[in-house]
Amino acid sequence: MTTDRAALKQAVHDKLLSMESAELATAIAHYEAFLQDSQMDERETHDKDDQVAARENADLAAAFDTPVQTHHAKIDVIENMDFSLTDTVGPGALVSFNRRNFIIAVSTARFEVDGVTYMGISPQSPIYKAMVGAKAGESFEHNGRSFVIDDVL
């Protein structure tokens, strides 16, 4: 059974890393497209509309730099976090409660692995702070509600 749990945890880790890598690639593509459109050929004459469009594209490229940096940071966290099996809620743990499944690493949208839905939550999130250190069968309080942890791996 340990091997199956380890394989599940590895599959969730791999999906999390793959998802963030895809988000990074999309953010980079947007950044590069707007950056390219912001550059004007100096050998041509440009009217005011061309200059305005180039400036707007430069602003959009700058706006896409933040998601690029964010996804780089998330990938760095995922690649450097310990995802070994555990029985205690902490960074790198898979946690199940209230018929929901979470991976403690970085915040993400919901994603599926083998037909099961997961969501990444950050160790800085309030819900994580409420359950850190707990084990399966233990309860924690969050937003005035009590939850019982079903499983940790």
Side-chain angles (χ1 to χ4, degrees):
M1 175 129 185
T2 302
T3 304
D4 292 339
R5 290 170 69 83
L8 169 63
K9 194 162 185 184
Q10 186 63 50
V12 172
H13 168 269
D14 293 348
K15 178 67 177 193
L16 183 67
L17 187 57
S18 169
M19 205 169 68
E20 282 303 320
S21 296
E23 292 286 335
L24 174 61
T26 299
I28 289 172
H30 284 102
Y31 171 79
E32 289 175 348
F34 285 113
L35 186 63
Q36 182 178 2
D37 289 344
S38 73
Q39 298 171 358
M40 296 190 304
D41 189 342
E42 293 179 12
R43 294 172 289 173
E44 298 177 13
T45 55
H46 300 282
D47 62 17
K48 196 163 195 110
D49 289 340
D50 291 337
Q51 293 171 356
V52 168
R55 184 66 219 160
E56 287 175 353
N57 285 322
D59 290 344
L60 287 168
F64 276 105
D65 186 53
T66 298
V68 168
Q69 299 308 318
T70 299
H71 291 297
H72 270 298
K74 285 183 175 186
I75 288 169
D76 186 53
V77 167
I78 295 165
E79 289 178 339
N80 291 296
M81 186 173 282
D82 180 8
F83 285 93
S84 59
L85 288 174
T86 184
D87 62 353
T88 305
V89 176
L94 280 181
V95 182
S96 299
F97 64 89
N98 202 33
R99 296 181 307 280
R100 294 193 174 125
N101 304 289
F102 302 91
I103 184 161
I104 312 299
V106 296
S107 60
T108 68
R110 292 183 178 127
F111 62 95
E112 285 196 19
V113 174
D114 296 332
V116 176
T117 302
Y118 294 88
M119 189 167 85
I121 60 175
S122 165
Q124 286 77 37
S125 68
I127 195 162
Y128 169 77
K129 290 177 181 178
M131 68 174 134
V132 64
K135 297 182 178 198
E138 295 181 352
S139 62
F140 69 95
E141 299 275 331
H142 179 66
N143 285 342
R145 294 183 57 200
S146 182
F147 299 95
V148 176
I149 296 177
D150 299 318
D151 198 10
V152 178
L153 59 142

